[in-house]
Amino acid sequence: MSALSLFLLLAWAQAGGEPAAAADPAASPSPSQGASAESPDTSAPAAEAGANPVAAAAGGALPVVQPTALLAEELANWQKWALLIGDPIRTVPVWWGPILSWVKIVSLAGLLGWVGAWVMASLRGRRRARVTIGGARPLDAALLLAILIGIGCVFVRQAQQSEQLPQVDVAGVALASLVGMLCLGVGAAWLETVLWSGILRERRIGDVLVLVGMHLALLVAVGIALSMPSGAMPYLGARLGFPPDATLLTPEGELTPSGVVAIVLIGVQMALTLMGFVVFLRIALLVLGEVSAIRPRRLYAMGKFSWVESFRKTRIPWAVLAIFLLILAFTHWFLQPPDSQRQAELSRLYVGTLMLLSSVLLTVMVAVLTPITLPNDIRFQTIFTVVTKPVRRLEIIWGRMLGFMGVVTALVLALGGISLLYLERNIGGRIEQLRQEIAEAREAGLDNQAGLLEAQLDQLQTRRSARLPVGGSLTFVDSLGEPRIKGIDVGQELEIRSFVEGATQAEASWLFGPMIPHPVDRLFPNRPGERYPMLSMPVPVGLLLHEGTIEDLANDIYTVAYERAELEARKQGAEPSELSRLNAEVSRLEEQEQGLLREYEALVARYSDLVQQAEAAGDAPEAARLREQAEALRSPDVPVQMTFTVYRTTKGRPGEPVYASIRVVHPFSAEAPMYPGSRENSPLLIDPLARRFGGNNPLIPELVHSDTFDVKEYYTNKWAFPASMLVGSQGYLTIQVQCLSPTQYLGMAEGDLFLVASQGSFLANYMKGLAGIWLQAMVLTAIGVWAGTFLSWPVALLITVFFFAAGEIFFPILNQLATGQMIGGGPFESMIRMVSHSNQMTELDATLGVILAKSLDAIVVPIMSLLIFVVPNFSAMDLSNLVADGFAIQWATLGANILLALSYAVPFSIAAYFILKNREVAA
Amino acid sequence: MNSDVIIETRNLTKVYRDFWGRPKVLALKALDLKVHRGEIFGLLGPNGSGKTTTIKLLLGLLFPTEGEAFLFGEPATNVAKNERIGYLPEESYLYKFLNAEETLHFYGRLFKIDPAERKKRVDQLIDMVGLSAAKHRQVREYSKGMQRRIGLAQALINDPEMILLDEPTSGLDPIGTSEIKDRIRELRERGKTIVLSGHLLADMQDICDRIAILHRGELKELGQVRDLLTVQDVTQIKTKDLPPAALTEIEEVVRRHGAELLGVDHPTTTLEELFLRIVRDSELHPGRRRVGDRPGMPAPPAGEDGSSAPTAPAAGRAS
Ligand SMILES: Nc1ncnc2c1ncn2[C@@H]1O[C@H](COP(=O)(O)OP(=O)(O)OP(=O)(O)O)[C@@H](O)[C@H]1O
Ligand SMILES: [Mg+2]
């Protein structure tokens, strides 16, 4: 269950975590994606959001629990639950949170679809009206009038807000708002009539039940909204996004008109969500019935059919293959390494280009293939002979998708195979060439040259692996020694790194650990308000300490010691019977500890023995063999990789390297407190063996390990520290970096420093990258098939392409739009700004045009914002950057992406099923 | 419901609408039909009279504007009943990129038939429709008649209980036509129910047990072919060796002289005549003649001038 919950959490993290990564400078090998995969750090909270607008855009649209100073103590428990369940987008950061959100969004979409479908059915099946006004039914005429007046109200409100029109209030509420609400009421009445008449006429008992259920839901929602205590109003207002200075309560504790609006809004939100649930239930039951009728043989028949159709009729797959080969034949012409010093870029360039090419070609193929075939099938009536067979509509949809995915799979494998061969020939060839050059240089005694080449080779090989980065949580210390969330902003736009000043106390500090507070809570442990959820960013001790080595054994001793310490603590105030049991247990553990210690000493003795033998050994090969044996008893050093940028002030001397110091601090050391500002310098962990060893712990030779190095820009700086630093750490660790060169600044972001937990195979990683492309294709297939069920193929094609573009390119923009963070207003206001060349930040003069534009925006933006929930986040599924940078794609990330893809593909395919089922195939 | 009734429609009405939902064509008007097990039922009517519309409604390809259609007692949109139905569309809408064998295997897989049986049936059917020589050629290369044949084969792949054939003989040569007619009779012998539409009246007359004549979406005539084609108000007397001079006195002679009377009978018209008369009649007096299912009932008398008195049921329905 917990694995599932992790996946789901990651699914959400991926759904919104992307834009921040997309903003990374392309050249920076930032493992931020990998890091975000390990912790749901995308729930960008307000405090950080202010400092980092990109991150805010990333997390803002997501259901995040924002810590708010206003605690809802007034609310009963059930009311909190009702609010959580009733709010369309809010969720909680537990495993079922993403499911809840998903259900809510799907429910709302279902509600929209259900109401829309019935309104249409009802209107189409209407008999001639008895009474008409100007040819229209009275209610229709009223609706039309209400819409026009409603739009007018928006304009009036805009004009009033820009103080072009005087404010007219009735009982404290703007008249225009009142009229607007009246219009909404008319709309609701119209909807009621149309729905009831349509559903009763068709005599569909299930839908009558749904309609009744929806009204019950409405009643429940109204009841809950009315039950909200007035004391909770400030809290509710904040939730609804009312400005903090809005007065919802009179001094006497009565609701002000704004307060009434707030209650109504809560009721409406809740009603919509609950009604959505009713529809969701209905849909779920129908789909379950349909799914239970599915037979593999028919799915297979439909799938095979689509496969054959793709290859024989459209021939698009062949075209894709041909184009790929054609482009490949010319790639090496325009793919040149930026300069011979930056070999790593070459590998990145090749891998990135090949993956991009595969992805683009496959996407185009799917976007063209999937929306065309079904509409043509309907148009040329070939579908008649299919749907008059006992094949279910859902089988037609899923079977088709399966067939297309078969084609995609075949092509992914073909393109992937060709790409890998190509890479092997080019990068592999280059590596071989470098090796030879190095050997030649050594031969000729050009050690300097050889060193340079070796560095290049190393960079090239680094990118051709699959490193598993483990990141920590970053905070800063400024030049005066004060803790900070951010370092210095050097004023470069697009720079997401913040900087530490050289030769001062300024420092960047990464904290690792299984349970660490959020940076804000670390720096301000005593601040008011709710805490952020704890972060989990542990050092993978189990991975880094190799089984059976000295360090591993030492760590085992600590594991037992921790257990013993815990039991000792439990002894306080324990009952006598319990006490004797605990005592027995403690002495058992003590014995175990002793045994392990003896084992440890024996292993150490063997180690030093081997080392001495190696020193004594006469001939070199024998010494090397012995040394190797000795090394096998030790865990390898823990690799750290970092990529920093350097900001050079004019005072600096060009050409002079910039030096940095790095310190790894064990959690037993008092030099790395969890709360940087705290006065008492307490260590992160208490050493349970401190008493046994006194000050001289043989298991952990040093608690602080430091070093200096010169920062190579563009390079992945590699460093390592002894594995013994991890002994007894329980995954906690602190790594601190300072800049040593005066007047120079070292830039870093959280993802810029990481431990390398493992080096996987590039091939497997490449395959996982292709799987990402495959997932994109799956979602797009679902969309293409869906669009094809009700649109003619040119329109379906356009819609599919639109969805892809919106998901891949405009997702961040949609996100800003949905979260109201769009700088420069909505689309219409932006247009005015563009035409008039005015600044994005200043308020525009309230001309008629501006009021018009703002009004249109007020109508259009909420509708566009809804797109954020239906447009799939395609870019999140694209993992090719990780592959190109040589970072391992973790199974968890891939799993999360699979879930993410399914969470889009399934609803779209279900929607397609309902459309195909309820449309006349022969009309 | 009587299990003998395979198809039943009640007040089946179809109005084609345009994109905005405005009514465009009234293609079928309040059709009430019952087709019984083992029957060959013919749907007749001029072009655009609603035959294809009726069949599509029966198959759930279209949804009725009003009324209902049941097949095997199930609503027309029920998918499971398709297991027992075969359908040949008006034109052979087949996938051009498959060959005959692949086509039949594809459709066959959609039914619950085990693979060995399916293989056998595919070969049999290809053989039956005479396409063995061309079975590996893609359908796009087929002539219209060949496509028609493969279309018929796919309609029979599941050995259906009830077969809907929309103009099965269109596009076929005379030999093909008579072959198909033989097939249809064979199928009836095996107890299948067959509904077919068409305008080739001679063919329909040959094979149908019962027919319905549609005109502009309205049911104009329904009944046993034999009964419908019987002309009630004309008497035909067949005599042998009658002297030509006695011709004017024939009735008297027969009655008085006791000559050898071979038979007094009602002559039948051809279906073609009946059809043309109904169409002409309907055109002159739209909505005048409506009939329900009256198997065995005499056809309403129709005067030479076409001004026959409306029969009781017709008067009842016309209002
Ligand atoms: N998809 C459609 N949209 C609009 N009107 C249609 C559609 N299909 C058929 N019609 C109309 O419905 C009426 C009946 O058509 P239908 O195809 O049922 O006739 P039919 O009896 O099969 O004719 P034919 O003998 O030519 O095949 C015609 O007037 C036709 O124009
Ligand atoms: Mg027809």
Side-chain angles (χ1 to χ4, degrees):
Chain A
M1 208 73 241
S2 67
L4 176 71
S5 67
L6 180 68
F7 274 168
L8 290 166
L9 257 164
L10 293 178
W12 264 122
Q14 287 288 332
E18 184 50 22
D24 278 2
S28 82
S30 154
S32 62
Q33 281 184 330
S36 81
E38 259 140 54
S39 69
D41 62 357
T42 36
S43 42
E48 198 177 57
N52 184 353
V54 185
L62 291 177
V64 292
V65 181
Q66 303 221 343
T68 157
L70 301 157
L71 286 173
E73 274 131 16
E74 308 275 338
L75 291 175
N77 231 351
W78 69 269
Q79 284 169 321
K80 285 185 190 163
W81 276 100
L83 279 177
L84 172 67
I85 291 173
D87 189 319
I89 58 168
R90 194 164 303 257
T91 186
V92 280
V94 290
W95 67 267
W96 47 267
I99 303 182
L100 181 65
S101 305
W102 184 82
V103 170
K104 282 180 193 168
I105 291 168
V106 171
S107 297
L108 286 174
L111 177 67
L112 207 66
W114 187 87
V115 170
W118 270 113
V119 164
M120 251 153 58
S122 174
L123 292 184
R124 281 168 164 246
R126 255 187 342 193
R127 298 204 179 82
R128 186 169 295 136
R130 258 161 278 143
V131 192
T132 58
I133 302 174
R137 281 154 208 265
L139 208 52
D140 290 359
L143 177 74
L144 198 69
L145 206 65
I147 291 176
L148 289 178
I149 294 177
I151 293 175
C153 287
V154 176
F155 280 75
V156 171
R157 286 297 293 157
Q158 275 301 337
Q160 284 174 342
Q161 267 161 24
S162 9
E163 282 157 15
Q164 296 294 300
L165 281 180
Q167 192 88 19
V168 184
D169 285 2
V170 174
V173 182
L175 183 63
S177 302
L178 277 181
V179 176
M181 285 204 192
L182 204 68
C183 293
L184 281 181
V186 172
W190 182 85
L191 204 59
E192 281 278 338
T193 325
V194 167
L195 281 180
W196 277 112
S197 65
I199 291 176
L200 288 179
R201 189 173 53 228
E202 299 271 321
R203 286 193 302 242
R204 293 258 287 269
I205 186 72
D207 291 292
V208 174
L209 284 181
V210 170
L211 198 55
V212 171
M214 278 166 58
H215 285 82
L216 286 181
L218 184 69
L219 279 182
V220 170
V222 169
I224 293 174
L226 289 180
S227 79
M228 291 295 155
S230 57
M233 284 316 291
Y235 168 76
L236 297 177
R239 280 181 67 131
L240 288 168
F242 277 50
D245 55 352
T247 46
L248 304 175
L249 288 175
T250 57
E252 296 81 53
E254 297 285 306
L255 287 178
T256 61
S258 299
V260 174
V261 170
I263 287 286
V264 168
L265 272 179
I266 289 207
V268 168
Q269 279 190 352
M270 199 166 302
L272 285 178
T273 320
L274 296 186
M275 286 178 184
F277 288 159
V278 175
V279 175
F280 184 84
L281 191 69
R282 161 100 168 138
I283 292 176
L285 289 178
L286 286 174
V287 169
L288 277 183
E290 181 79 5
V291 166
S292 67
I294 283 185
R295 293 290 168 273
R297 105 190 105 81
R298 294 193 295 248
L299 266 188
Y300 170 77
M302 289 311 302
K304 185 179 172 194
F305 168 78
S306 287
W307 164 281
V308 173
E309 183 181 32
S310 308
F311 280 102
R312 282 204 206 151
K313 187 179 171 197
T314 65
R315 291 164 214 235
I316 295 172
W318 298 121
V320 164
L321 210 57
I323 294 173
F324 185 72
L325 288 172
L326 197 73
I327 295 180
L328 220 54
F330 295 102
T331 1
H332 59 274
W333 271 5
F334 47 85
L335 281 192
Q336 296 293 342
D339 86 56
S340 66
Q341 296 301 303
R342 289 161 63 180
Q343 293 293 340
E345 303 285 299
L346 180 71
S347 159
R348 200 195 138 76
L349 204 61
Y350 270 106
V351 176
T353 310
L354 285 175
M355 290 209 104
L356 181 71
L357 188 60
S358 310
S359 152
V360 166
L361 283 177
L362 282 172
T363 309
V364 169
M365 179 187 84
V366 170
V368 173
L369 196 59
T370 56
I372 284 184
T373 56
L374 197 54
N376 275 346
D377 216 6
I378 294 171
R379 187 167 145 228
F380 296 114
Q381 316 194 349
T382 38
I383 200 168
F384 288 8
T385 37
V386 177
V387 294
T388 51
K389 306 284 184 279
V391 58
R392 323 269 330 175
R393 297 290 202 269
L394 190 56
E395 287 169 337
I396 295 180
I397 301 289
W398 283 358
R400 266 175 189 274
M401 283 179 62
L402 279 182
F404 290 135
M405 288 326 290
V407 176
V408 169
T409 312
L411 275 181
V412 160
L413 291 178
L415 300 194
I418 297 169
S419 304
L420 281 172
L421 276 180
Y422 186 82
L423 282 178
E424 187 49 42
R425 281 207 49 202
N426 282 273
I427 309 292
R430 180 76 193 123
I431 286 177
E432 273 312 302
Q433 193 188 340
L434 272 173
R435 285 220 178 93
Q436 256 170 32
E437 282 173 23
I438 291 167
E440 277 165 23
R442 288 246 181 276
E443 209 112 299
L446 299 169
D447 278 353
N448 228 350
Q449 171 73 8
L452 262 175
L453 290 174
E454 253 162 12
Q456 288 184 19
L457 179 63
D458 179 55
Q459 292 295 314
L460 210 50
Q461 279 172 333
T462 303
R463 296 296 170 86
R464 251 170 73 81
S465 64
R467 296 165 289 164
L468 179 60
V470 175
S473 166
L474 175 64
T475 51
F476 290 87
V477 170
D478 70 7
S479 53
L480 300 173
E482 285 299 310
R484 290 270 179 264
I485 293 276
K486 292 273 142 184
I488 291 173
D489 180 0
V490 292
Q492 281 174 339
E493 248 179 282
L494 294 178
E495 178 59 84
I496 57 151
R497 296 183 168 89
S498 62
F499 288 75
V500 292
E501 192 181 347
T504 63
Q505 293 190 54
E507 172 185 274
S509 160
W510 279 266
L511 179 61
F512 297 79
M515 274 282 276
I516 51 180
H518 188 273
V520 176
D521 293 323
R522 288 212 298 281
L523 296 188
F524 313 106
N526 302 320
R527 77 188 167 90
E530 263 175 63
R531 290 298 195 94
Y532 290 102
M534 297 288 264
L535 306 177
S536 172
M537 309 175 102
V539 177
V541 177
L543 270 176
L544 292 166
L545 298 185
H546 290 196
E547 190 71 34
T549 57
I550 290 176
E551 287 81 6
D552 186 41
L553 203 53
N555 197 47
D556 286 349
I557 294 169
Y558 264 103
T559 311
V560 176
Y562 277 118
E563 210 179 318
R564 187 167 55 84
E566 200 189 316
L567 288 182
E568 298 272 10
R570 285 237 300 269
K571 279 207 279 194
Q572 238 98 67
E575 310 227 329
S577 63
E578 176 75 0
L579 198 62
S580 63
R581 202 186 60 77
L582 285 174
N583 272 332
E585 190 73 348
V586 165
S587 48
R588 190 185 63 77
L589 287 174
E590 208 144 352
E591 228 161 82
Q592 199 183 343
E593 206 178 292
Q594 290 296 344
L596 283 171
L597 261 173
R598 275 193 297 278
E599 232 177 279
Y600 176 80
E601 272 153 22
L603 200 61
V604 171
R606 196 156 134 240
Y607 173 75
S608 42
D609 206 35
L610 280 169
V611 172
Q612 270 168 17
Q613 279 181 30
E615 267 163 24
D619 74 314
E622 174 69 7
R625 196 183 58 78
L626 286 168
R627 213 167 285 129
E628 211 171 281
Q629 271 184 15
E631 279 320 302
L633 299 179
R634 303 287 305 265
S635 283
D637 284 355
V638 179
V640 180
Q641 298 190 354
M642 24 196 179
T643 315
F644 299 138
T645 51
V646 175
Y647 181 74
R648 294 161 196 276
T649 57
T650 46
K651 285 175 257 167
R653 272 164 295 173
E656 171 100 337
V658 172
Y659 290 99
S661 77
I662 182 165
R663 251 157 51 109
V664 180
V665 187
H666 193 280
F668 291 164
S669 163
E671 291 186 40
M674 179 168 303
Y675 299 102
S678 69
R679 291 286 160 259
E680 73 272 26
N681 264 358
S682 60
L684 276 162
L685 292 179
I686 307 296
D687 185 355
L689 295 176
R691 245 185 320 160
R692 179 188 295 275
F693 297 123
N696 193 10
N697 185 340
L699 302 182
I700 311 169
E702 45 183 354
L703 290 180
V704 178
H705 180 87
S706 49
D707 201 356
T708 60
F709 63 97
D710 56 327
V711 177
K712 290 178 247 166
E713 267 190 288
Y714 300 114
Y715 272 81
T716 306
N717 295 280
K718 291 181 176 177
W719 184 71
F721 60 87
S724 60
M725 296 289 299
L726 302 183
V727 171
S729 71
Q730 291 197 333
Y732 285 99
L733 202 69
T734 310
I735 299 183
Q736 297 161 341
V737 172
Q738 281 184 315
C739 179
L740 297 178
S741 305
T743 71
Q744 311 289 15
Y745 292 79
L746 209 52
M748 47 199 86
E750 191 164 87
D752 283 344
L753 178 145
F754 51 89
L755 310 179
V756 181
S758 69
Q759 297 261 6
S761 116
F762 178 75
L763 183 77
N765 212 35
Y766 195 88
M767 285 302 166
K768 286 190 205 161
L770 291 180
I773 298 177
W774 191 91
L775 287 176
Q776 281 189 333
M778 177 171 85
V779 175
L780 203 59
T781 302
I783 293 175
V785 171
W786 165 78
T789 52
F790 64 105
L791 297 167
S792 68
W793 73 262
V795 188
L797 190 100
L798 270 180
I799 290 281
T800 313
V801 170
F802 162 80
F803 264 94
F804 184 75
E808 178 82 43
I809 303 161
F810 299 119
F811 199 80
I813 299 177
L814 280 178
N815 219 332
Q816 287 180 15
L817 211 64
T819 48
Q821 285 163 343
M822 201 68 170
I823 300 165
F828 289 101
E829 194 183 334
S830 297
M831 205 147 74
I832 289 189
R833 286 182 195 274
M834 207 171 73
V835 171
S836 63
H837 298 285
S838 53
N839 188 312
Q840 295 280 300
M841 306 299 279
T842 50
E843 191 67 19
L844 289 175
D845 293 336
T847 60
L848 184 64
V850 170
I851 291 175
L852 200 71
K854 282 189 170 176
S855 309
L856 287 175
D857 281 339
I859 296 166
V860 166
V861 167
I863 297 172
M864 280 176 73
S865 306
L866 290 179
L867 278 177
I868 192 83
F869 294 114
V870 289
V871 169
N873 188 354
F874 280 108
S875 46
M877 281 171 250
D878 183 1
L879 301 173
S880 51
N881 271 340
L882 287 180
V883 180
D885 286 329
F887 287 116
I889 297 171
Q890 295 176 63
W891 288 110
T893 313
L894 204 58
N897 275 348
I898 291 174
L899 283 181
L900 179 65
L902 283 178
S903 72
Y904 288 113
V906 170
F908 270 108
S909 67
I910 298 291
Y913 154 68
F914 278 108
I915 294 171
L916 192 61
K917 186 180 147 171
N918 290 312
R919 70 165 285 173
E920 293 182 305
V921 183
Chain B
M1 187 172 293
N2 187 349
S3 70
D4 204 36
V5 177
I6 301 288
I7 295 177
E8 181 171 3
T9 69
R10 293 184 205 142
N11 189 29
L12 195 63
T13 302
K14 179 67 195 177
V15 178
Y16 285 106
R17 294 171 187 274
D18 66 3
F19 178 79
W20 301 107
R22 291 175 303 199
K24 210 163 53 174
V25 185
L26 175 63
L28 195 62
K29 205 156 134 193
L31 179 69
D32 289 299
L33 265 189
K34 271 187 185 153
V35 176
H36 302 270
R37 187 178 296 280
E39 251 184 341
I40 300 188
F41 188 91
L43 273 174
L44 261 75
N47 290 127
S49 58
K51 304 183 293 293
T52 302
T53 303
T54 309
I55 292 180
K56 284 178 179 171
L57 284 166
L58 290 177
L59 287 162
L61 292 170
L62 292 174
F63 302 148
T65 309
E66 252 171 73
E68 297 149 302
F70 295 94
L71 283 85
F72 300 105
E74 309 257 5
T77 45
N78 181 321
V79 179
K81 64 151 193 354
N82 290 351
E83 203 75 61
R84 304 153 79 180
I85 294 175
Y87 167 52
L88 172 66
E90 189 165 21
E91 279 166 39
S92 297
Y93 304 116
L94 296 165
Y95 294 103
K96 303 264 194 294
F97 53 88
L98 300 175
N99 66 31
E101 228 178 25
E102 288 167 334
T103 303
L104 294 187
H105 275 291
F106 166 55
Y107 291 122
R109 263 198 206 96
L110 300 178
F111 290 99
K112 199 175 173 198
I113 310 170
D114 69 47
E117 168 72 15
R118 188 177 70 228
K119 176 100 190 44
K120 209 175 78 197
R121 262 193 222 169
V122 167
D123 291 343
Q124 237 171 32
L125 283 169
I126 289 181
D127 201 43
M128 182 193 102
V129 297
L131 287 173
S132 302
K135 67 177 174 187
H136 294 303
R137 282 166 57 191
Q138 287 192 6
V139 172
R140 78 173 87 241
E141 300 170 12
Y142 282 12
S143 72
K144 187 168 181 215
M146 289 163 88
Q147 291 190 11
R148 214 64 204 136
R149 287 157 191 258
I150 189 73
L152 183 67
Q154 66 81 28
L156 300 177
I157 187 77
N158 54 329
D159 191 20
E161 282 173 51
M162 196 263 289
I163 306 155
L164 287 155
L165 304 171
D166 201 348
E167 301 188 20
T169 53
S170 83
L172 288 182
D173 55 23
I175 302 168
T177 307
S178 91
E179 271 175 17
I180 292 241
K181 285 197 307 199
D182 291 344
R183 285 291 102 71
I184 291 173
R185 285 200 197 94
E186 249 172 61
L187 288 167
R188 184 194 27 205
E189 249 128 67
R190 289 170 50 206
K192 314 284 182 197
T193 312
I194 297 157
V195 174
L196 45 95
S197 79
H199 351 244
L200 288 183
L201 302 165
D203 298 341
M204 301 290 270
Q205 186 175 357
D206 275 1
I207 52 174
C208 291
D209 300 322
R210 274 201 313 143
I211 54 168
I213 298 184
L214 293 174
H215 183 257
R216 295 199 183 147
E218 285 181 71
L219 183 67
K220 294 293 177 185
E221 203 61 86
L222 175 69
Q224 304 276 346
V225 175
R226 200 170 0 105
D227 298 332
L228 287 180
L229 299 187
T230 303
V231 183
Q232 299 288 343
D233 55 353
V234 182
T235 306
Q236 182 184 35
I237 300 171
K238 287 186 188 168
T239 61
K240 195 180 162 192
D241 297 339
L242 192 71
L247 216 75
T248 50
E249 299 174 64
I250 187 133
E251 260 180 72
E252 199 190 355
V253 169
V254 169
R255 191 159 32 85
R256 245 190 300 131
H257 296 279
E260 193 187 358
L261 192 65
L262 286 180
V264 180
D265 204 356
H266 303 294
T268 55
T269 160
T270 62
L271 183 55
E272 186 153 357
E273 276 170 37
L274 174 74
F275 182 79
L276 290 178
R277 199 182 69 223
I278 287 175
V279 171
R280 232 179 286 125
D281 201 30
S282 305
E283 234 122 71
L284 282 174
H285 308 282
R288 273 273 286 280
R289 266 173 84 118
R290 292 290 309 273
V291 268
D293 196 352
R294 302 165 298 138
M297 260 176 66
E304 284 306 290
D305 56 357
S307 63
S308 65
T311 53
R317 298 291 295 276
S319 53

